[in-house]
Short mmCIF file of all heavy atoms in Angstrom, two decimals:
data_model
loop_
_atom_site.label_atom_id
_atom_site.label_comp_id
_atom_site.label_asym_id
_atom_site.label_seq_id
_atom_site.Cartn_x
_atom_site.Cartn_y
_atom_site.Cartn_z
N MET A 1088 -6.59 18.19 -5.97
CA MET A 1088 -6.20 17.01 -6.70
C MET A 1088 -6.64 15.78 -5.89
O MET A 1088 -6.65 15.81 -4.67
CB MET A 1088 -4.67 17.02 -6.88
CG MET A 1088 -4.16 15.82 -7.63
SD MET A 1088 -2.47 15.98 -8.25
CE MET A 1088 -1.52 15.87 -6.77
N THR A 1089 -6.98 14.72 -6.58
CA THR A 1089 -7.41 13.49 -5.90
C THR A 1089 -6.38 12.39 -6.12
O THR A 1089 -5.42 12.56 -6.89
CB THR A 1089 -8.77 13.01 -6.45
OG1 THR A 1089 -8.62 12.65 -7.82
CG2 THR A 1089 -9.85 14.08 -6.29
N LEU A 1090 -6.59 11.26 -5.48
CA LEU A 1090 -5.67 10.13 -5.64
C LEU A 1090 -5.63 9.60 -7.07
O LEU A 1090 -4.63 9.03 -7.49
CB LEU A 1090 -6.06 8.99 -4.69
CG LEU A 1090 -5.70 9.19 -3.23
CD1 LEU A 1090 -6.15 7.97 -2.42
CD2 LEU A 1090 -4.22 9.40 -3.04
N VAL A 1091 -6.71 9.79 -7.81
CA VAL A 1091 -6.74 9.34 -9.21
C VAL A 1091 -5.65 10.04 -10.02
O VAL A 1091 -5.05 9.45 -10.91
CB VAL A 1091 -8.14 9.60 -9.83
CG1 VAL A 1091 -8.16 9.25 -11.30
CG2 VAL A 1091 -9.20 8.81 -9.07
N ASP A 1092 -5.37 11.30 -9.69
CA ASP A 1092 -4.39 12.11 -10.42
C ASP A 1092 -2.98 12.05 -9.83
O ASP A 1092 -2.07 12.66 -10.37
CB ASP A 1092 -4.85 13.57 -10.43
CG ASP A 1092 -6.26 13.73 -10.96
OD1 ASP A 1092 -6.59 13.08 -11.96
OD2 ASP A 1092 -7.04 14.48 -10.35
N ALA A 1093 -2.80 11.33 -8.74
CA ALA A 1093 -1.52 11.31 -8.04
C ALA A 1093 -0.44 10.59 -8.84
O ALA A 1093 -0.71 9.66 -9.59
CB ALA A 1093 -1.68 10.64 -6.68
N VAL A 1094 0.80 11.01 -8.62
CA VAL A 1094 1.96 10.38 -9.24
C VAL A 1094 2.36 9.19 -8.39
O VAL A 1094 2.43 9.29 -7.16
CB VAL A 1094 3.13 11.40 -9.34
CG1 VAL A 1094 4.37 10.74 -9.90
CG2 VAL A 1094 2.72 12.60 -10.16
N GLU A 1095 2.63 8.07 -9.04
CA GLU A 1095 3.03 6.86 -8.30
C GLU A 1095 4.35 7.10 -7.58
O GLU A 1095 5.28 7.67 -8.14
CB GLU A 1095 3.17 5.68 -9.27
CG GLU A 1095 1.87 5.22 -9.85
CD GLU A 1095 2.04 4.06 -10.82
OE1 GLU A 1095 3.15 3.51 -10.92
OE2 GLU A 1095 1.05 3.72 -11.48
N GLY A 1096 4.41 6.65 -6.33
CA GLY A 1096 5.64 6.71 -5.55
C GLY A 1096 5.86 8.01 -4.80
O GLY A 1096 6.77 8.10 -3.98
N LYS A 1097 5.05 9.02 -5.04
CA LYS A 1097 5.20 10.29 -4.35
C LYS A 1097 4.28 10.34 -3.14
O LYS A 1097 3.13 9.93 -3.22
CB LYS A 1097 4.87 11.44 -5.31
CG LYS A 1097 5.11 12.80 -4.71
CD LYS A 1097 4.88 13.90 -5.73
CE LYS A 1097 5.08 15.25 -5.07
NZ LYS A 1097 4.74 16.35 -5.98
N GLU A 1098 4.81 10.85 -2.02
CA GLU A 1098 4.00 10.93 -0.80
C GLU A 1098 3.20 12.23 -0.78
O GLU A 1098 3.73 13.29 -1.08
CB GLU A 1098 4.90 10.86 0.43
CG GLU A 1098 4.13 10.81 1.73
CD GLU A 1098 5.03 10.62 2.93
OE1 GLU A 1098 5.45 9.48 3.17
OE2 GLU A 1098 5.30 11.63 3.61
N TYR A 1099 1.93 12.10 -0.45
CA TYR A 1099 1.03 13.24 -0.35
C TYR A 1099 0.42 13.26 1.05
O TYR A 1099 0.51 12.28 1.78
CB TYR A 1099 -0.11 13.13 -1.37
CG TYR A 1099 0.35 13.17 -2.82
CD1 TYR A 1099 0.62 12.00 -3.51
CD2 TYR A 1099 0.50 14.38 -3.47
CE1 TYR A 1099 1.03 12.04 -4.84
CE2 TYR A 1099 0.90 14.43 -4.80
CZ TYR A 1099 1.18 13.26 -5.47
OH TYR A 1099 1.58 13.30 -6.77
N THR A 1100 -0.24 14.36 1.37
CA THR A 1100 -0.96 14.47 2.63
C THR A 1100 -2.45 14.54 2.31
O THR A 1100 -2.86 15.30 1.43
CB THR A 1100 -0.54 15.74 3.39
OG1 THR A 1100 0.87 15.67 3.62
CG2 THR A 1100 -1.26 15.83 4.73
N VAL A 1101 -3.25 13.77 3.03
CA VAL A 1101 -4.70 13.78 2.82
C VAL A 1101 -5.23 15.14 3.30
O VAL A 1101 -5.03 15.51 4.45
CB VAL A 1101 -5.39 12.63 3.60
CG1 VAL A 1101 -6.90 12.73 3.46
CG2 VAL A 1101 -4.89 11.29 3.12
N GLN A 1102 -5.88 15.87 2.40
CA GLN A 1102 -6.43 17.18 2.73
C GLN A 1102 -7.89 17.08 3.15
O GLN A 1102 -8.33 17.77 4.07
CB GLN A 1102 -6.32 18.12 1.52
CG GLN A 1102 -4.91 18.37 1.07
CD GLN A 1102 -4.06 19.06 2.11
OE1 GLN A 1102 -4.53 19.92 2.84
NE2 GLN A 1102 -2.80 18.67 2.19
N LYS A 1103 -8.65 16.21 2.44
CA LYS A 1103 -10.08 16.10 2.72
C LYS A 1103 -10.60 14.79 2.15
O LYS A 1103 -10.11 14.31 1.13
CB LYS A 1103 -10.82 17.28 2.07
CG LYS A 1103 -12.30 17.33 2.36
CD LYS A 1103 -12.93 18.55 1.71
CE LYS A 1103 -14.42 18.57 1.99
NZ LYS A 1103 -15.08 19.67 1.30
N ILE A 1104 -11.58 14.21 2.81
CA ILE A 1104 -12.25 13.02 2.31
C ILE A 1104 -13.72 13.38 2.10
O ILE A 1104 -14.40 13.77 3.04
CB ILE A 1104 -12.10 11.84 3.27
CG1 ILE A 1104 -10.63 11.49 3.44
CG2 ILE A 1104 -12.89 10.64 2.78
CD1 ILE A 1104 -10.33 10.43 4.46
N SER A 1105 -14.17 13.28 0.85
CA SER A 1105 -15.52 13.70 0.50
C SER A 1105 -16.42 12.50 0.20
O SER A 1105 -16.60 12.12 -0.95
CB SER A 1105 -15.47 14.61 -0.73
OG SER A 1105 -14.64 15.70 -0.51
N THR A 1106 -16.96 11.90 1.25
CA THR A 1106 -17.92 10.82 1.06
C THR A 1106 -19.19 11.18 1.84
O THR A 1106 -19.14 11.94 2.80
CB THR A 1106 -17.40 9.46 1.58
OG1 THR A 1106 -17.21 9.54 2.99
CG2 THR A 1106 -16.10 9.07 0.91
N ASP A 1107 -20.30 10.62 1.42
CA ASP A 1107 -21.56 10.86 2.12
C ASP A 1107 -21.93 9.69 3.02
O ASP A 1107 -23.02 9.65 3.58
CB ASP A 1107 -22.68 11.09 1.09
CG ASP A 1107 -22.46 12.35 0.29
OD1 ASP A 1107 -21.85 13.29 0.82
OD2 ASP A 1107 -22.92 12.40 -0.87
N ASP A 1108 -21.03 8.73 3.14
CA ASP A 1108 -21.30 7.50 3.88
C ASP A 1108 -20.48 7.48 5.17
O ASP A 1108 -19.25 7.43 5.14
CB ASP A 1108 -20.93 6.30 2.99
CG ASP A 1108 -21.32 4.97 3.59
OD1 ASP A 1108 -21.78 4.94 4.75
OD2 ASP A 1108 -21.16 3.96 2.89
N GLU A 1109 -21.15 7.52 6.31
CA GLU A 1109 -20.46 7.53 7.60
C GLU A 1109 -19.70 6.23 7.85
O GLU A 1109 -18.62 6.25 8.45
CB GLU A 1109 -21.46 7.78 8.73
CG GLU A 1109 -21.99 9.20 8.75
CD GLU A 1109 -22.92 9.43 9.94
OE1 GLU A 1109 -22.78 8.74 10.96
OE2 GLU A 1109 -23.78 10.32 9.80
N GLU A 1110 -20.25 5.11 7.40
CA GLU A 1110 -19.56 3.83 7.57
C GLU A 1110 -18.26 3.80 6.79
O GLU A 1110 -17.25 3.28 7.27
CB GLU A 1110 -20.45 2.67 7.13
CG GLU A 1110 -21.56 2.35 8.10
CD GLU A 1110 -22.35 1.11 7.67
OE1 GLU A 1110 -21.77 0.21 7.04
OE2 GLU A 1110 -23.54 1.08 7.97
N LEU A 1111 -18.27 4.35 5.59
CA LEU A 1111 -17.07 4.41 4.77
C LEU A 1111 -16.03 5.33 5.42
O LEU A 1111 -14.84 5.00 5.44
CB LEU A 1111 -17.41 4.90 3.37
CG LEU A 1111 -16.27 4.90 2.36
CD1 LEU A 1111 -15.63 3.52 2.24
CD2 LEU A 1111 -16.77 5.35 1.00
N ASP A 1112 -16.48 6.46 5.96
CA ASP A 1112 -15.57 7.35 6.68
C ASP A 1112 -14.93 6.64 7.87
O ASP A 1112 -13.73 6.76 8.11
CB ASP A 1112 -16.30 8.60 7.17
CG ASP A 1112 -16.67 9.55 6.04
OD1 ASP A 1112 -16.07 9.45 4.96
OD2 ASP A 1112 -17.57 10.38 6.26
N ALA A 1113 -15.72 5.88 8.62
CA ALA A 1113 -15.21 5.14 9.77
C ALA A 1113 -14.23 4.06 9.32
O ALA A 1113 -13.20 3.83 9.98
CB ALA A 1113 -16.36 4.52 10.55
N PHE A 1114 -14.51 3.40 8.21
CA PHE A 1114 -13.62 2.37 7.68
C PHE A 1114 -12.27 2.99 7.28
O PHE A 1114 -11.22 2.46 7.63
CB PHE A 1114 -14.26 1.67 6.48
CG PHE A 1114 -13.35 0.71 5.79
CD1 PHE A 1114 -12.98 -0.48 6.40
CD2 PHE A 1114 -12.85 1.00 4.54
CE1 PHE A 1114 -12.12 -1.37 5.77
CE2 PHE A 1114 -11.99 0.11 3.89
CZ PHE A 1114 -11.62 -1.08 4.52
N LEU A 1115 -12.32 4.10 6.56
CA LEU A 1115 -11.08 4.77 6.17
C LEU A 1115 -10.28 5.22 7.39
O LEU A 1115 -9.06 5.10 7.43
CB LEU A 1115 -11.38 5.96 5.26
CG LEU A 1115 -11.84 5.62 3.85
CD1 LEU A 1115 -12.30 6.87 3.13
CD2 LEU A 1115 -10.74 4.93 3.08
N PHE A 1116 -10.99 5.72 8.39
CA PHE A 1116 -10.32 6.13 9.62
C PHE A 1116 -9.63 4.95 10.29
O PHE A 1116 -8.52 5.07 10.79
CB PHE A 1116 -11.33 6.78 10.59
CG PHE A 1116 -10.70 7.38 11.80
CD1 PHE A 1116 -10.14 8.64 11.75
CD2 PHE A 1116 -10.67 6.68 12.99
CE1 PHE A 1116 -9.54 9.20 12.87
CE2 PHE A 1116 -10.08 7.23 14.13
CZ PHE A 1116 -9.51 8.50 14.07
N SER A 1117 -10.27 3.77 10.27
CA SER A 1117 -9.67 2.59 10.89
C SER A 1117 -8.42 2.14 10.14
O SER A 1117 -7.53 1.52 10.72
CB SER A 1117 -10.68 1.44 10.96
OG SER A 1117 -10.93 0.90 9.67
N LEU A 1118 -8.34 2.46 8.83
CA LEU A 1118 -7.14 2.15 8.05
C LEU A 1118 -6.02 3.16 8.30
O LEU A 1118 -4.88 2.92 7.93
CB LEU A 1118 -7.46 2.13 6.55
CG LEU A 1118 -8.45 1.10 6.05
CD1 LEU A 1118 -8.63 1.25 4.55
CD2 LEU A 1118 -7.99 -0.31 6.39
N GLY A 1119 -6.37 4.28 8.90
CA GLY A 1119 -5.40 5.34 9.11
C GLY A 1119 -5.46 6.42 8.05
O GLY A 1119 -4.56 7.25 7.94
N CYS A 1120 -6.52 6.42 7.26
CA CYS A 1120 -6.70 7.41 6.19
C CYS A 1120 -7.64 8.50 6.67
O CYS A 1120 -8.85 8.33 6.67
CB CYS A 1120 -7.25 6.73 4.94
SG CYS A 1120 -7.42 7.84 3.53
N TYR A 1121 -7.07 9.61 7.11
CA TYR A 1121 -7.84 10.75 7.55
C TYR A 1121 -7.03 12.01 7.30
O TYR A 1121 -5.84 11.94 6.96
CB TYR A 1121 -8.28 10.63 9.01
CG TYR A 1121 -7.20 10.18 9.96
CD1 TYR A 1121 -6.35 11.11 10.56
CD2 TYR A 1121 -7.03 8.84 10.27
CE1 TYR A 1121 -5.35 10.70 11.43
CE2 TYR A 1121 -6.04 8.43 11.14
CZ TYR A 1121 -5.21 9.36 11.72
OH TYR A 1121 -4.22 8.95 12.57
N GLU A 1122 -7.65 13.16 7.43
CA GLU A 1122 -7.02 14.43 7.12
C GLU A 1122 -5.72 14.60 7.89
O GLU A 1122 -5.64 14.34 9.08
CB GLU A 1122 -7.97 15.58 7.42
CG GLU A 1122 -9.17 15.61 6.51
CD GLU A 1122 -10.13 16.74 6.84
OE1 GLU A 1122 -9.74 17.70 7.50
OE2 GLU A 1122 -11.30 16.63 6.42
N GLY A 1123 -4.68 15.04 7.16
CA GLY A 1123 -3.38 15.29 7.77
C GLY A 1123 -2.41 14.12 7.71
O GLY A 1123 -1.24 14.27 8.01
N GLU A 1124 -2.89 12.94 7.33
CA GLU A 1124 -2.04 11.76 7.29
C GLU A 1124 -1.36 11.62 5.92
O GLU A 1124 -1.95 11.92 4.89
CB GLU A 1124 -2.86 10.49 7.55
CG GLU A 1124 -3.15 10.25 9.00
CD GLU A 1124 -1.91 10.06 9.83
OE1 GLU A 1124 -1.05 9.21 9.50
OE2 GLU A 1124 -1.79 10.78 10.83
N PRO A 1125 -0.12 11.14 5.92
CA PRO A 1125 0.56 10.90 4.63
C PRO A 1125 -0.01 9.67 3.93
O PRO A 1125 -0.41 8.70 4.58
CB PRO A 1125 2.02 10.69 5.03
CG PRO A 1125 1.99 10.32 6.46
CD PRO A 1125 0.75 10.91 7.06
N ILE A 1126 -0.05 9.74 2.60
CA ILE A 1126 -0.55 8.63 1.78
C ILE A 1126 0.29 8.60 0.50
O ILE A 1126 0.67 9.64 -0.02
CB ILE A 1126 -2.05 8.79 1.48
CG1 ILE A 1126 -2.62 7.55 0.82
CG2 ILE A 1126 -2.32 10.02 0.66
CD1 ILE A 1126 -4.15 7.53 0.74
N THR A 1127 0.60 7.40 0.04
CA THR A 1127 1.40 7.23 -1.17
C THR A 1127 0.67 6.29 -2.11
O THR A 1127 0.21 5.24 -1.70
CB THR A 1127 2.78 6.62 -0.83
OG1 THR A 1127 3.42 7.44 0.13
CG2 THR A 1127 3.65 6.51 -2.07
N VAL A 1128 0.58 6.68 -3.39
CA VAL A 1128 0.01 5.80 -4.40
C VAL A 1128 1.13 4.90 -4.90
O VAL A 1128 2.13 5.38 -5.44
CB VAL A 1128 -0.60 6.59 -5.57
CG1 VAL A 1128 -1.07 5.65 -6.67
CG2 VAL A 1128 -1.77 7.43 -5.09
N VAL A 1129 0.99 3.60 -4.65
CA VAL A 1129 2.00 2.63 -5.06
C VAL A 1129 1.88 2.34 -6.55
O VAL A 1129 2.86 2.32 -7.28
CB VAL A 1129 1.89 1.33 -4.23
CG1 VAL A 1129 2.89 0.30 -4.70
CG2 VAL A 1129 2.06 1.64 -2.75
N SER A 1130 0.64 2.13 -7.02
CA SER A 1130 0.41 1.89 -8.44
C SER A 1130 -1.04 2.18 -8.79
O SER A 1130 -1.93 2.09 -7.95
CB SER A 1130 0.77 0.46 -8.83
OG SER A 1130 -0.08 -0.45 -8.19
N HIS A 1131 -1.24 2.54 -10.06
CA HIS A 1131 -2.59 2.74 -10.59
C HIS A 1131 -3.02 1.47 -11.30
O HIS A 1131 -2.25 0.88 -12.06
CB HIS A 1131 -2.63 3.91 -11.57
CG HIS A 1131 -2.48 5.24 -10.92
ND1 HIS A 1131 -3.51 5.85 -10.22
CD2 HIS A 1131 -1.44 6.09 -10.84
CE1 HIS A 1131 -3.09 7.00 -9.76
NE2 HIS A 1131 -1.84 7.18 -10.12
N LEU A 1132 -4.22 1.04 -11.04
CA LEU A 1132 -4.78 -0.14 -11.68
C LEU A 1132 -5.97 0.28 -12.53
O LEU A 1132 -6.45 1.40 -12.43
CB LEU A 1132 -5.23 -1.16 -10.63
CG LEU A 1132 -4.18 -1.61 -9.63
CD1 LEU A 1132 -4.81 -2.44 -8.53
CD2 LEU A 1132 -3.09 -2.38 -10.32
N LYS A 1133 -6.45 -0.63 -13.34
CA LYS A 1133 -7.59 -0.33 -14.22
C LYS A 1133 -8.82 0.11 -13.42
O LYS A 1133 -9.50 1.05 -13.78
CB LYS A 1133 -7.91 -1.56 -15.07
CG LYS A 1133 -8.94 -1.32 -16.12
CD LYS A 1133 -9.12 -2.54 -16.99
CE LYS A 1133 -10.11 -2.29 -18.10
NZ LYS A 1133 -10.29 -3.45 -18.95
N GLY A 1134 -9.09 -0.57 -12.30
CA GLY A 1134 -10.27 -0.26 -11.52
C GLY A 1134 -10.04 0.63 -10.33
O GLY A 1134 -10.95 0.92 -9.57
N GLY A 1135 -8.82 1.09 -10.11
CA GLY A 1135 -8.53 1.93 -8.96
C GLY A 1135 -7.04 2.10 -8.76
O GLY A 1135 -6.31 2.29 -9.72
N CYS A 1136 -6.60 2.01 -7.51
CA CYS A 1136 -5.18 2.14 -7.25
C CYS A 1136 -4.81 1.44 -5.94
O CYS A 1136 -5.66 1.17 -5.11
CB CYS A 1136 -4.75 3.60 -7.22
SG CYS A 1136 -5.60 4.63 -6.02
N VAL A 1137 -3.51 1.17 -5.80
CA VAL A 1137 -2.96 0.60 -4.58
C VAL A 1137 -2.30 1.74 -3.83
O VAL A 1137 -1.49 2.48 -4.40
CB VAL A 1137 -1.93 -0.51 -4.88
CG1 VAL A 1137 -1.31 -1.04 -3.59
CG2 VAL A 1137 -2.57 -1.64 -5.66
N VAL A 1138 -2.67 1.91 -2.56
CA VAL A 1138 -2.11 3.00 -1.75
C VAL A 1138 -1.41 2.43 -0.52
O VAL A 1138 -1.75 1.36 -0.03
CB VAL A 1138 -3.20 4.01 -1.31
CG1 VAL A 1138 -3.80 4.71 -2.50
CG2 VAL A 1138 -4.27 3.36 -0.48
N SER A 1139 -0.45 3.18 -0.05
CA SER A 1139 0.25 2.85 1.18
C SER A 1139 -0.13 3.88 2.22
O SER A 1139 0.09 5.08 2.04
CB SER A 1139 1.77 2.87 0.93
OG SER A 1139 2.46 2.66 2.13
N ILE A 1140 -0.72 3.38 3.32
CA ILE A 1140 -1.12 4.23 4.43
C ILE A 1140 -0.49 3.63 5.68
O ILE A 1140 -0.74 2.47 5.98
CB ILE A 1140 -2.65 4.29 4.60
CG1 ILE A 1140 -3.33 4.70 3.31
CG2 ILE A 1140 -3.03 5.22 5.74
CD1 ILE A 1140 -4.83 4.52 3.32
N LYS A 1141 0.31 4.43 6.36
CA LYS A 1141 1.06 3.95 7.53
C LYS A 1141 1.86 2.72 7.12
O LYS A 1141 2.67 2.80 6.22
CB LYS A 1141 0.13 3.70 8.70
CG LYS A 1141 -0.56 4.98 9.14
CD LYS A 1141 -1.09 4.90 10.52
CE LYS A 1141 -1.74 6.22 10.86
NZ LYS A 1141 -1.75 6.50 12.25
N ASP A 1142 1.65 1.56 7.72
CA ASP A 1142 2.43 0.37 7.38
C ASP A 1142 1.68 -0.62 6.51
O ASP A 1142 2.13 -1.74 6.33
CB ASP A 1142 2.88 -0.35 8.67
CG ASP A 1142 3.90 0.46 9.45
OD1 ASP A 1142 4.63 1.24 8.81
OD2 ASP A 1142 3.94 0.32 10.68
N GLY A 1143 0.53 -0.22 5.95
CA GLY A 1143 -0.27 -1.14 5.16
C GLY A 1143 -0.45 -0.68 3.73
O GLY A 1143 -0.32 0.49 3.42
N ARG A 1144 -0.74 -1.66 2.87
CA ARG A 1144 -1.06 -1.38 1.47
C ARG A 1144 -2.49 -1.83 1.22
O ARG A 1144 -2.87 -2.93 1.62
CB ARG A 1144 -0.12 -2.12 0.53
CG ARG A 1144 1.25 -1.52 0.50
CD ARG A 1144 2.06 -2.18 -0.56
NE ARG A 1144 3.38 -1.56 -0.59
CZ ARG A 1144 4.22 -1.68 -1.58
NH1 ARG A 1144 3.92 -2.43 -2.62
NH2 ARG A 1144 5.38 -1.08 -1.55
N TYR A 1145 -3.24 -0.97 0.54
CA TYR A 1145 -4.64 -1.25 0.31
C TYR A 1145 -5.01 -0.97 -1.14
O TYR A 1145 -4.50 -0.02 -1.75
CB TYR A 1145 -5.53 -0.39 1.23
CG TYR A 1145 -5.15 -0.52 2.68
CD1 TYR A 1145 -4.35 0.43 3.30
CD2 TYR A 1145 -5.57 -1.62 3.42
CE1 TYR A 1145 -3.98 0.30 4.62
CE2 TYR A 1145 -5.21 -1.75 4.75
CZ TYR A 1145 -4.41 -0.79 5.35
OH TYR A 1145 -4.04 -0.93 6.65
N ASN A 1146 -5.89 -1.78 -1.69
CA ASN A 1146 -6.41 -1.57 -3.03
C ASN A 1146 -7.75 -0.86 -2.89
O ASN A 1146 -8.66 -1.39 -2.25
CB ASN A 1146 -6.58 -2.92 -3.73
CG ASN A 1146 -7.01 -2.78 -5.16
OD1 ASN A 1146 -6.92 -1.71 -5.74
ND2 ASN A 1146 -7.50 -3.86 -5.73
N ILE A 1147 -7.87 0.33 -3.46
CA ILE A 1147 -9.12 1.06 -3.39
C ILE A 1147 -9.64 1.31 -4.80
O ILE A 1147 -8.86 1.45 -5.74
CB ILE A 1147 -8.98 2.38 -2.61
CG1 ILE A 1147 -7.95 3.31 -3.25
CG2 ILE A 1147 -8.63 2.12 -1.16
CD1 ILE A 1147 -7.90 4.67 -2.61
N ASP A 1148 -10.96 1.33 -4.93
CA ASP A 1148 -11.54 1.52 -6.26
C ASP A 1148 -11.46 2.99 -6.68
O ASP A 1148 -11.15 3.88 -5.89
CB ASP A 1148 -12.96 0.99 -6.31
CG ASP A 1148 -13.95 1.75 -5.44
OD1 ASP A 1148 -13.58 2.78 -4.85
OD2 ASP A 1148 -15.10 1.30 -5.35
N LYS A 1149 -11.73 3.21 -7.95
CA LYS A 1149 -11.58 4.54 -8.54
C LYS A 1149 -12.53 5.56 -7.91
O LYS A 1149 -12.18 6.72 -7.73
CB LYS A 1149 -11.80 4.46 -10.05
CG LYS A 1149 -11.19 5.60 -10.82
CD LYS A 1149 -11.23 5.34 -12.30
CE LYS A 1149 -9.89 4.79 -12.72
NZ LYS A 1149 -9.72 4.73 -14.16
N GLN A 1150 -13.73 5.13 -7.56
CA GLN A 1150 -14.71 6.04 -6.95
C GLN A 1150 -14.22 6.54 -5.59
O GLN A 1150 -14.34 7.72 -5.28
CB GLN A 1150 -16.05 5.33 -6.81
CG GLN A 1150 -17.14 6.21 -6.26
CD GLN A 1150 -18.47 5.46 -6.14
OE1 GLN A 1150 -18.55 4.25 -6.37
NE2 GLN A 1150 -19.51 6.16 -5.78
N LEU A 1151 -13.67 5.66 -4.79
CA LEU A 1151 -13.16 6.05 -3.49
C LEU A 1151 -11.89 6.90 -3.65
O LEU A 1151 -11.70 7.87 -2.93
CB LEU A 1151 -12.86 4.81 -2.63
CG LEU A 1151 -12.38 5.08 -1.21
CD1 LEU A 1151 -13.35 6.00 -0.46
CD2 LEU A 1151 -12.21 3.79 -0.46
N ALA A 1152 -11.04 6.54 -4.60
CA ALA A 1152 -9.83 7.32 -4.85
C ALA A 1152 -10.18 8.75 -5.25
O ALA A 1152 -9.48 9.70 -4.90
CB ALA A 1152 -8.98 6.65 -5.92
N ALA A 1153 -11.27 8.91 -5.98
CA ALA A 1153 -11.71 10.25 -6.40
C ALA A 1153 -12.26 11.05 -5.23
O ALA A 1153 -12.29 12.29 -5.28
CB ALA A 1153 -12.75 10.14 -7.50
N ALA A 1154 -12.66 10.39 -4.16
CA ALA A 1154 -13.22 11.08 -2.99
C ALA A 1154 -12.14 11.54 -2.02
O ALA A 1154 -12.41 12.33 -1.12
CB ALA A 1154 -14.20 10.16 -2.26
N ILE A 1155 -10.90 11.06 -2.18
CA ILE A 1155 -9.81 11.42 -1.29
C ILE A 1155 -8.99 12.52 -1.95
O ILE A 1155 -8.31 12.29 -2.95
CB ILE A 1155 -8.93 10.21 -0.94
CG1 ILE A 1155 -9.78 9.13 -0.27
CG2 ILE A 1155 -7.77 10.62 -0.06
CD1 ILE A 1155 -9.06 7.83 -0.02
N GLN A 1156 -9.06 13.71 -1.38
CA GLN A 1156 -8.32 14.85 -1.93
C GLN A 1156 -6.97 14.97 -1.24
O GLN A 1156 -6.87 14.86 -0.02
CB GLN A 1156 -9.13 16.13 -1.75
CG GLN A 1156 -10.43 16.12 -2.51
CD GLN A 1156 -11.23 17.38 -2.29
OE1 GLN A 1156 -10.81 18.30 -1.61
NE2 GLN A 1156 -12.41 17.43 -2.88
N ILE A 1157 -5.96 15.24 -2.07
CA ILE A 1157 -4.60 15.37 -1.55
C ILE A 1157 -4.02 16.73 -1.88
O ILE A 1157 -4.54 17.43 -2.72
CB ILE A 1157 -3.68 14.26 -2.08
CG1 ILE A 1157 -3.78 14.18 -3.60
CG2 ILE A 1157 -4.06 12.93 -1.47
CD1 ILE A 1157 -2.84 13.20 -4.24
#
């Protein structure tokens, strides 16, 4: 399952991140989004979703949300 399919307000654990871009992987890692970390979808938006990772909230687009498996 990916973040696109996640239920709002429920905490999940990141299982895998499937991107082909090393810079994007490094950016997600700097946010604290990597395998084994908890992640919560705060809300779904038309173009993506708002997620809570550690102590921050981030807006990610639908393509990136589809690349994060939970």
Side-chain angles (χ1 to χ4, degrees):
M1088 180 165 72
T1089 64
L1090 284 180
V1091 175
D1092 307 316
V1094 177
E1095 292 179 8
K1097 185 175 178 186
E1098 185 175 281
Y1099 296 93
T1100 301
V1101 176
Q1102 299 297 324
K1103 184 178 179 184
I1104 299 174
S1105 303
T1106 64
D1107 295 331
D1108 187 354
E1109 289 183 26
E1110 286 184 31
L1111 185 55
D1112 288 340
F1114 173 70
L1115 288 171
F1116 187 82
S1117 72
L1118 297 180
C1120 183
Y1121 46 87
E1122 293 178 20
E1124 281 298 307
I1126 189 169
T1127 304
V1128 175
V1129 177
S1130 65
H1131 288 284
L1132 304 172
K1133 187 175 183 180
C1136 58
V1137 177
V1138 296
S1139 175
I1140 306 169
K1141 298 200 179 206
D1142 292 332
R1144 287 187 178 196
Y1145 307 99
N1146 185 16
I1147 60 174
D1148 66 6
K1149 202 170 262 190
Q1150 183 180 6
L1151 183 54
I1155 301 174
Q1156 297 179 2
I1157 51 175

